[in-house]
Amino acid sequence: MSSHRLVSVRTNIQSVKNRIASAANRVGRDPHSIELVAISKFKPVSQMMEAIDAGITDLGENRVQEATDKHCRIDLPVKWHLVGHLQTNKVKQALQMFDLIHSLDSLRLLAEIDRRSGQLNRKTDTLVEVNTSGEESKYGLQPNEVPSFMESSVEYSHVRIKGLMTIGRLVPDPQEVRPSFALLRRIKDTVDSQRYPNIQMKYLSMGMTNDFEVAIEEGANMVRIGSAIFGERH
């Protein structure tokens, strides 16, 4: 069973990388400029280790508590990404393991990350989550809130904003999600033009298993892939 799964995870990763390359080539982009984050939520450490063995260097988790247990058991040089919603009371714990927080979505959370980072005498890298789909069920700033948020964020010296993140609407046809990704790219360009201190629009984190190719065509340089690597959740 283990050897079969190893082949499966390794094969899936290669398939995803091939699809990333094809999408990038279609729009004249360098496939190597796109970072692949393997979303390992609900997956056992054994599968995560198989992914690392197959070349994965970035792992994404949704929940601080689940990630804490896994982080303790994987003593390898991989980058950890928090892609799920972060509550302020979990910030201290999150800072102990995550290299990049994708889900900065309020000034209250920004202030807490800054405070805790200051106590640790460090700077924390984050992405600002933007709700580009307009769905009430999703977290994230509204697009029109981004400029004032960025203005306010420059006061917090222990947080580095490194880009933007969005989650596309889950629909059968990924082409329907294209406007959400195009909107995030335009927001990035607007923020870039302002040249805020402590803000660097390095990453556009958008695209998951069902829509990452469209996201890449619209400018994503970080994609978050779970089921296409590890299989569907049962």
Side-chain angles (χ1 to χ4, degrees):
M1 178 67 181
S2 175
S3 61
H4 168 73
R5 201 168 65 229
L6 177 59
V7 171
S8 174
V9 168
R10 184 179 291 275
T11 301
N12 287 348
I13 289 168
Q14 190 55 56
S15 173
V16 167
K17 286 182 175 179
N18 290 343
R19 290 169 64 189
I20 287 172
S22 294
N25 288 331
R26 279 197 296 276
V27 290
R29 298 182 60 202
D30 177 6
H32 295 102
S33 69
I34 297 156
E35 296 192 23
L36 170 59
V37 181
I39 304 302
S40 47
K41 62 178 182 179
F42 309 128
K43 299 301 176 184
V45 166
S46 58
Q47 272 194 293
M48 295 166 70
M49 295 293 283
E50 288 164 6
I52 294 167
D53 188 58
I56 288 295
T57 57
D58 294 73
L59 296 171
E61 287 285 331
N62 260 45
R63 298 176 181 172
V64 172
Q65 198 57 51
E66 181 184 351
T68 302
D69 175 57
K70 293 174 173 179
H71 190 269
C72 291
R73 296 166 60 195
I74 298 179
D75 186 22
L76 291 167
V78 294
K79 279 182 70 176
W80 291 79
H81 300 247
L82 180 64
V83 299
H85 180 63
L86 177 58
Q87 297 171 303
T88 52
N89 64 350
K90 293 281 202 279
V91 167
K92 181 181 179 183
Q93 208 175 346
L95 293 186
Q96 293 168 358
M97 70 191 109
F98 289 109
D99 299 285
L100 183 62
I101 294 170
H102 290 231
S103 46
L104 175 56
D105 62 357
S106 71
L107 285 174
R108 181 166 172 258
L109 180 58
L110 172 63
E112 182 63 8
I113 294 173
D114 184 77
R115 185 175 77 86
R116 292 291 188 181
S117 301
Q119 290 173 349
L120 297 169
N121 194 28
R122 58 170 273 193
K123 293 180 185 289
T124 296
D125 291 341
T126 65
L127 304 180
V128 174
E129 182 173 0
V130 185
N131 182 344
T132 57
S133 69
E135 294 172 274
E136 290 185 8
S137 60
K138 283 197 168 70
Y139 292 103
L141 299 177
Q142 295 303 308
N144 63 358
E145 295 174 331
V146 174
S148 62
F149 183 88
M150 295 298 181
E151 290 275 0
S152 300
S153 73
V154 300
E155 300 171 21
Y156 297 91
S157 59
H158 295 285
V159 177
R160 288 186 297 221
I161 294 175
K162 306 286 277 189
L164 305 173
M165 183 271 257
T166 198
I167 300 171
R169 188 187 293 268
L170 189 60
V171 290
D173 181 4
Q175 295 298 333
E176 293 182 30
V177 189
R178 191 179 291 276
S180 291
F181 297 149
L183 174 57
L184 196 72
R185 189 188 68 246
R186 291 196 300 272
I187 294 169
K188 168 194 172 290
D189 291 343
T190 300
V191 174
D192 250 342
S193 70
Q194 297 300 313
R195 303 190 181 282
Y196 297 106
N198 283 336
I199 297 176
Q200 178 190 12
M201 290 288 104
K202 182 178 181 181
Y203 294 117
L204 267 186
S205 170
M206 55 189 194
M208 299 189 291
T209 289
N210 57 309
D211 56 20
F212 71 88
E213 286 143 312
V214 171
I216 289 169
E217 291 171 0
E218 292 299 332
N221 60 2
M222 182 175 280
V223 293
R224 311 180 304 271
I225 312 295
S227 56
I229 290 174
F230 296 108
E232 296 292 339
R233 181 156 54 98
H234 300 295

